[in-house]
Amino acid sequence: MSKAQHIFLVEDDLSFGAVLKSYLELNEFEVTWVDDGKYAVDKFKAGSFQICILDVMLPNIDGFTIGTEIRKLDADIPMVFLTAKTLKEDILKGYNVGADDYITKPFDTEVLLCKIQAIIKRQSTQPVSDEFLFSIGSYEFDSKLRSISRDGEKQKLSPKEADLLKLLCQNKNELLSRETALRKIWGEDGYFTARSMDVFITKLRKYLKDDPNIEIKNIHGSGFLLEVNCEAENQ
């Protein structure tokens, strides 16, 4: 790398944190390590980072809360949660906060390294599309500003909500396969990312519910269909 990518690491286990920091630095990353949750957000504000690695079980403030606060400061930064908790509810909570990945302990540091490299590469090589304004029935969707507006009211979207809605708009009245959406937005089509996408679809339905001419249909076993009554849209 010509310039070291900067990782923000929050991990309270001093032994593991030191080992992980050293390992990532040996692989040409710059690492800022925080071992107490109460200092994490202020430390994040003071730096410039390409990715966050957050332990969930922390003293004072948990990783999910830190992730939520970081999302308010930087809506686009990739985020990976580390945890010993394997309950489905906890994993889904991580994805709802906006996680790009969720890794359960113990794990192989080489696997974490590969995931970090893949996420950063995906961020840097995402194609730029000139199309960013979309009409969805009576709504206007600005994918750059990540907002939906209707009758003077505006709804702000999270990065993944906006990415998913943009993909649906680009395939309006056509099937968007689950695999395509998962790979383009989450980078993989595993069980938990699929469940996370279902949560985002539910949120998008809620945002668009006031226009009866719009429906996001679940095509069983295949994907989703953003169905818009074109006659009503053109009136």
Side-chain angles (χ1 to χ4, degrees), residues 4-74:
Q5 300 280 356
H6 199 169
I7 295 175
F8 183 63
L9 172 65
V10 183
E11 168 60 63
D12 68 311
D13 185 319
L14 299 182
S15 176
F16 177 66
V19 170
L20 184 55
K21 182 177 186 291
S22 296
Y23 177 75
L24 292 171
E25 288 174 340
L26 283 172
N27 283 277
E28 301 182 51
F29 288 98
E30 182 181 352
V31 181
T32 292
W33 171 32
V34 181
D35 60 19
D36 191 325
K38 69 181 178 181
Y39 304 117
V41 175
D42 286 339
K43 199 74 173 178
F44 180 84
K45 289 178 182 177
S48 177
F49 306 97
Q50 280 68 57
I51 189 169
C52 296
I53 312 296
L54 308 175
D55 188 23
V56 172
M57 301 296 289
L58 295 165
N60 297 307
I61 302 176
D62 68 90
F64 291 143
T65 302
I66 293 167
T68 300
E69 291 303 308
I70 286 175
R71 272 281 168 261
K72 295 175 184 177
L73 299 168
D74 186 336

